[in-house]
Amino acid sequence: MQITRDWLKEKGACGGGVEWFTSKFPEGGEYQDVLDALAHENLAQWGSWLLDAAGPTNTVLKIDGDYEAKFGLYFAGRIEISEFLKVAGHIFSGKGIEAGSGIKAGSDIKAGWGIEAGWGIEAGEGIKAGEGIKAGWGIKAGEGIKAGSGYGIFAGLRVKVLAWAKYALVIAKKKPADLISGEFREKAP
């Protein structure tokens, strides 16, 4: 999908966003290229807005091994990482996020569909999914944790019962309404 200045204006993009886009992509740019540039500059509000305005794609970002970045990761489709996903900024996915090991973001984690990690999920700010949230170990957020309407939050799916209270933790400012599995602990102020 090609993003243009006219398309942004038609969708109601803010003036600052249109100005930034025009300076980086004077002839327009491919949707994912624009998301990549926004992520590299940690322009999360604009990246989130663009994902909402343009919607998800059927593309899959498949990475064999670990992925670590000193910025965010914004992807229009589904993110599949065989091992650990760690970014300093935000993680946004138009569809779902799946990691064989853990997921860690310095800021928010947001997916149009579900979020799933073989180990734990941790965000410096909030975690929000359009569907369910599943973690083999614990889930920790600096703010809130929210699954989509009618979906649940499951932590500790790979934790032995004897270790449940220590490793199947769900830590946030307040208990998620849709918590199905996991030991809730309020985040210390």
Side-chain angles (χ1 to χ4, degrees), residues 125-149:
E125 294 176 14
I127 300 170
K128 184 178 181 185
E131 294 181 0
I133 300 171
K134 297 179 190 175
W137 289 69
I139 303 171
K140 181 179 181 181
E143 298 294 327
I145 303 169
K146 183 165 179 26
S149 179

Side-chain angles (χ1 to χ4, degrees), residues 9-71:
K9 286 184 169 185
E10 179 183 309
K11 294 291 183 180
C14 68
V18 173
E19 187 177 315
W20 174 88
F21 174 81
T22 304
S23 72
K24 300 288 183 183
F25 299 93
E27 304 300 318
E30 283 297 315
Y31 182 20
Q32 188 57 55
D33 292 339
V34 176
L35 286 172
D36 291 344
L38 289 165
H40 281 267
E41 293 191 32
N42 203 28
L43 296 171
Q45 286 184 315
W46 294 348
S48 180
W49 178 89
L50 183 57
L51 275 168
D52 290 343
T57 65
N58 291 323
T59 55
V60 178
L61 172 62
K62 235 180 169 129
I63 297 174
D64 188 22
D66 293 332
Y67 178 86
E68 186 170 350
K70 294 182 180 184
F71 42 82

Side-chain angles (χ1 to χ4, degrees), residues 141-158:
E143 298 294 327
I145 303 169
K146 183 165 179 26
S149 179
Y151 289 90
I153 297 169
F154 300 85
L157 297 175
R158 294 185 177 177

Side-chain angles (χ1 to χ4, degrees), residues 98-182:
E98 183 178 344
S101 295
I103 302 170
K104 184 174 184 178
S107 297
D108 290 314
I109 300 172
K110 177 180 159 188
W113 292 2
I115 300 171
E116 184 172 349
W119 294 353
I121 301 170
E122 184 176 344
E125 294 176 14
I127 300 170
K128 184 178 181 185
E131 294 181 0
I133 300 171
K134 297 179 190 175
W137 289 69
I139 303 171
K140 181 179 181 181
E143 298 294 327
I145 303 169
K146 183 165 179 26
S149 179
Y151 289 90
I153 297 169
F154 300 85
L157 297 175
R158 294 185 177 177
V159 175
K160 289 184 177 184
V161 175
L162 291 175
W164 187 264
K166 185 175 180 182
Y167 296 112
L169 299 177
V170 175
I171 301 170
K173 282 192 171 180
K174 68 178 197 174
K175 184 176 181 180
D178 37 17
L179 180 61
I180 306 296
S181 168

